[in-house]
Amino acid sequence: MLKIITTGYDGKMGKILADAIREDETLELACVSARGMSSQEGGLKIYDDMSQITESANVVIDFSHPTNLDNILSYALNTKTPLVVATTGYNEDENNKITEASKVIPVFRSYNMALGVNIMLKLVKEATKLLKGFDIEVVEKHHNRKVDAPSGTAVMIAEGIKEVLSDVEFTYGRHGRDAKRQPNEVGIHAIRGGTIVGEHDAIFAGDSEVLTITHQSESRRIFANGSIAAAKFLVDQKPGLYNMDDMLSI
């Protein structure tokens, strides 16, 4: 039985993840953390600070907020517990902290936990190699409560393109009278509205033809399922920084 501690139980994804773990007979939800909550819900212990946790686990799955990073890393490092990082919106300093932690414990990091998105990234890289001279644009759409823009997934797609075309420059949206597209430019655009779970398009526009690679998330459950798959993969790994490519053997 794989014991899991989750963070972000005060948010929608935290609740969805907890339910997904409970439904998997091979998993046990050891406890959860949630900002501003310290109580017990049925048999589930809820902590508002991970330093208070007394339960042990095989892995921690983080679906919370970048401001919780120090608290989460402190627990994971002190207890030598593998960590799945599913939170997005980290700055350079915070990303460096995650990388440093991976030298001590196994850390799984992905901007998007949906398996389909990571297959999309593979297709985008292949299209970038093959469609030379095509203009490339990345468009992401999310609900009106998402705080970071562009999404971590849009950044991941753009960085995947840059792995193939190292001289590209990113343009975040366009406006004004002098916004003509440059040859080595990749445009990244964010749309916010309603209850859109998540949509990502990689658009390849050539002479008289357009190819669009699209991933559409219809439920947040796909992110929970992906993070659980990552947790099952991670517990058998040595210290290091892992991602979906490692898990899917891409």
Side-chain angles (χ1 to χ4, degrees), residues 113-130:
M113 286 293 169
L115 301 182
V117 162
N118 290 275
I119 299 301
M120 175 190 179
L121 180 60
K122 171 73 169 176
L123 298 175
V124 167
K125 290 179 181 179
E126 288 300 313
T128 303
K129 294 175 185 176
L130 297 171

Side-chain angles (χ1 to χ4, degrees), residues 3-250:
K3 292 185 178 181
I4 300 178
I5 293 173
T6 70
T7 70
Y9 193 69
D10 49 310
K12 285 187 176 180
M13 267 310 308
K15 297 282 197 313
I16 292 170
L17 176 59
D19 288 342
I21 292 170
R22 291 187 185 104
E23 292 170 14
D24 189 322
E25 294 181 353
T26 67
L27 305 177
E28 178 183 336
L29 187 59
C31 65
V32 300
S33 75
R35 289 183 296 181
M37 297 174 65
S38 185
S39 60
Q40 190 153 328
E41 194 176 275
L44 179 64
K45 188 70 175 179
I46 305 172
Y47 296 90
D48 65 356
D49 191 308
M50 293 195 68
S51 65
Q52 302 168 352
I53 293 177
T54 57
E55 288 83 355
S56 61
N58 302 106
V59 64
V60 173
I61 301 178
D62 169 41
F63 257 117
S64 59
H65 190 273
T67 56
N68 295 329
L69 180 64
D70 287 344
N71 190 250
I72 294 165
L73 288 180
S74 177
Y75 174 86
L77 289 169
N78 287 337
T79 59
K80 298 296 188 294
T81 306
L83 172 64
V84 175
V85 180
T87 300
T88 61
Y90 289 117
N91 59 32
E92 183 178 357
D93 179 58
E94 290 161 340
N95 283 325
N96 288 337
K97 289 180 180 180
I98 293 170
T99 300
E100 285 301 309
S102 71
K103 297 176 181 178
V104 181
I105 59 173
V107 177
F108 189 103
R109 172 86 190 277
S110 177
Y111 287 111
N112 192 306
M113 286 293 169
L115 301 182
V117 162
N118 290 275
I119 299 301
M120 175 190 179
L121 180 60
K122 171 73 169 176
L123 298 175
V124 167
K125 290 179 181 179
E126 288 300 313
T128 303
K129 294 175 185 176
L130 297 171
L131 300 177
K132 300 184 184 302
F134 277 56
D135 296 327
I136 310 174
E137 301 280 302
V138 178
V139 181
E140 57 99 342
K141 307 172 188 176
H142 283 88
H143 52 84
N144 55 23
R145 299 172 309 286
K146 185 170 178 62
V147 295
D148 58 312
S151 69
T153 303
V155 172
M156 180 174 71
I157 293 170
E159 291 292 347
I161 294 167
K162 195 175 182 68
E163 287 179 21
V164 180
L165 301 175
S166 59
D167 63 338
V168 300
E169 296 182 2
F170 299 149
T171 295
Y172 298 92
R174 293 188 185 87
H175 68 280
R177 296 187 175 184
D178 188 23
K180 182 180 178 181
R181 194 183 198 285
Q182 301 303 310
N184 65 333
E185 183 179 317
V186 171
I188 305 173
H189 312 277
I191 295 171
R192 297 290 176 267
T195 58
I196 302 171
V197 175
E199 296 180 21
H200 293 86
D201 297 322
I203 302 167
F204 295 81
D207 184 6
S208 303
E209 62 177 327
V210 177
L211 170 67
T212 302
I213 302 174
T214 299
H215 181 274
Q216 181 171 327
S217 304
E218 298 183 349
S219 167
R220 290 182 176 87
R221 181 63 182 257
I222 63 173
F223 308 127
N225 292 343
S227 68
I228 289 172
K232 291 179 178 180
F233 162 82
L234 193 64
V235 292
D236 294 324
Q237 307 306 318
K238 298 177 180 179
L241 189 59
Y242 301 89
N243 57 32
M244 282 289 180
D245 287 358
D246 300 305
M247 188 178 81
L248 299 174
S249 298
I250 294 176

